[in-house]
Amino acid sequence: SVEAVDIRDYTTDKHRHVDDAPYGGGAGMVIQPAPVCDAYEALCKKLGKRPRVIYMTPQGRVFNQSIAQDLAKEEDLVFLCGHYEGIDERALELIHAEYLSAGDFVLTGGELPSMVMIDCISRLVPGVLGNGDSAEVESFYDNLLEYPQYTRPEVYEGKAVPGVLLSGHHKNIESWRREQSIRRTLERRPDLLEDAALTLKEQKFLDCLLKEQGESRLKELEQLVKEAVKNEETPGGIFDAYKKDITVWGRNDLKDVLDSNLGLKGSPTQIAKASDKVRKGAGEKVVLDPTASVNYIVDKLTEKHVL
Ligand code: 4G3
């Protein structure tokens, strides 16, 4: 169950003040340590133990399913919510507050983040809200996103339900769903794949997807580099080669990028020549045309930054 504690009940003055101006000056008010600590101590006395205290703050570790699983093991938890102002640092130290954030955004108070966490944690407690200890609880199962779901009708607005789901072939359905989960995770949350639990076969499948993606990126990148080299005079020939990895402004900056990242020194022409020399050194036939140089540069950029 959830119980709200009002720290104003732990004040002694007649206006029940809980905040005061910050030492050192500055805007806003700061919650004083006594009401927070006294409220916590009263709670500890009542419970006969000292429950973990979670302080809701944008400066905390970002809450996730695995933190929820850890917190779900606790018999009792205290969620401490600041409102506008901060809380005196000494109170946070004395009650051993753990800092958690609901995400990278700022609200007027910690109440909504605490409710998000309470909802998330409580559905992991067996017997709470009708949920059991089923595998369904692990929604971030294997660190993959969920596969798409379909229900009746079989065709809606001309869009049919994927045939495999109607086949009754459970093994195929299961592997189709896994494949969808992997595709979707790569598409929407590639960061999750780092820790995804994949079978060897699934890893191979992912490698194929990545290779396809890499090849199409390469084509685009090649086009971008060609443009940049061609538009020697246009400083506005800006391109952002794969989001954040390489940003090149016209040809002179291309030179800088090649210089600092690849150790290729000199003017673009010299670089082109140097790259051909390297190609020659590597036993390739020398092609002194710009396209070949562009290809070489693309290779280098790809090797270092994109794939
Ligand atoms: C402490 C938590 C509390 C410092 C609290 C703001 C967002 C979150 C507050 C502070 C909050 C969150 C109150 N806003 N992302 N506001 O979990 O700067």
Side-chain angles (χ1 to χ4, degrees), residues 96-157:
H96 300 288
E98 299 172 48
Y99 294 55
L100 278 188
S101 166
D104 293 334
F105 48 81
V106 179
L107 305 170
T108 55
E111 293 84 357
L112 288 169
S114 79
M115 287 172 82
V116 166
M117 294 183 200
I118 289 165
D119 184 284
C120 178
I121 295 162
S122 56
R123 69 183 280 282
L124 300 178
V125 177
V128 173
L129 302 170
N131 281 305
D133 38 4
S134 64
E136 220 176 350
V137 161
E138 312 202 12
S139 163
F140 269 84
Y141 195 58
D142 286 349
N143 251 319
L144 291 175
L145 300 185
E146 276 167 13
Y147 49 79
Q149 300 272 20
Y150 298 87
T151 185
R152 273 186 282 271
E154 214 175 291
V155 180
Y156 181 69
E157 298 271 316

Side-chain angles (χ1 to χ4, degrees), residues 248-270:
V248 179
W249 291 267
R251 198 157 169 181
N252 277 329
D253 295 285
L254 176 62
K255 173 173 111 50
D256 289 344
V257 166
L258 294 171
D259 187 359
S260 57
N261 292 314
L262 308 173
L264 294 174
K265 304 228 179 271
S267 70
T269 316
Q270 285 169 320

Side-chain angles (χ1 to χ4, degrees), residues 43-222:
L43 194 60
C44 293
K45 207 167 157 196
K46 198 175 92 176
L47 292 170
K49 58 174 157 159
R50 306 184 68 77
R52 285 169 75 176
V53 180
I54 312 300
Y55 178 46
M56 306 293 110
T57 166
Q59 293 155 63
R61 190 150 68 100
V62 177
F63 184 72
N64 60 30
Q65 200 67 34
S66 116
I67 294 172
Q69 273 166 357
D70 175 56
L71 294 175
K73 297 173 196 152
E74 300 291 328
E75 196 66 40
D76 298 278
L77 288 169
V78 174
F79 294 89
L80 177 59
C81 307
H83 214 262
Y84 297 114
E85 55 263 271
I87 294 178
D88 188 300
E89 194 66 24
R90 294 165 296 180
L92 300 172
E93 288 169 14
L94 286 164
I95 65 180
H96 300 288
E98 299 172 48
Y99 294 55
L100 278 188
S101 166
D104 293 334
F105 48 81
V106 179
L107 305 170
T108 55
E111 293 84 357
L112 288 169
S114 79
M115 287 172 82
V116 166
M117 294 183 200
I118 289 165
D119 184 284
C120 178
I121 295 162
S122 56
R123 69 183 280 282
L124 300 178
V125 177
V128 173
L129 302 170
N131 281 305
D133 38 4
S134 64
E136 220 176 350
V137 161
E138 312 202 12
S139 163
F140 269 84
Y141 195 58
D142 286 349
N143 251 319
L144 291 175
L145 300 185
E146 276 167 13
Y147 49 79
Q149 300 272 20
Y150 298 87
T151 185
R152 273 186 282 271
E154 214 175 291
V155 180
Y156 181 69
E157 298 271 316
K159 293 161 82 68
V161 171
V164 63
L165 299 178
L166 311 172
S167 70
H169 194 305
H170 297 297
K171 204 127 188 128
N172 287 355
I173 291 171
E174 198 197 340
S175 72
W176 180 84
R177 284 179 165 169
R178 275 298 275 197
E179 187 185 310
Q180 291 297 314
S181 285
I182 294 166
R183 279 184 186 278
R184 187 170 264 229
T185 311
L186 177 63
E187 176 90 17
R188 301 180 189 177
R189 291 293 308 279
D191 56 301
L192 293 177
L193 287 170
E194 299 257 322
D195 301 313
L198 300 181
T199 65
L200 202 63
K201 214 170 143 194
E202 288 168 346
Q203 187 59 55
K204 286 228 174 87
F205 173 67
L206 175 59
D207 288 344
C208 275
L209 293 180
L210 286 167
K211 203 165 154 245
E212 280 168 27
Q213 205 178 58
E215 276 159 9
S216 69
R217 280 179 176 208
L218 183 58
K219 280 220 167 63
E220 277 176 65
L221 179 59
E222 191 177 319

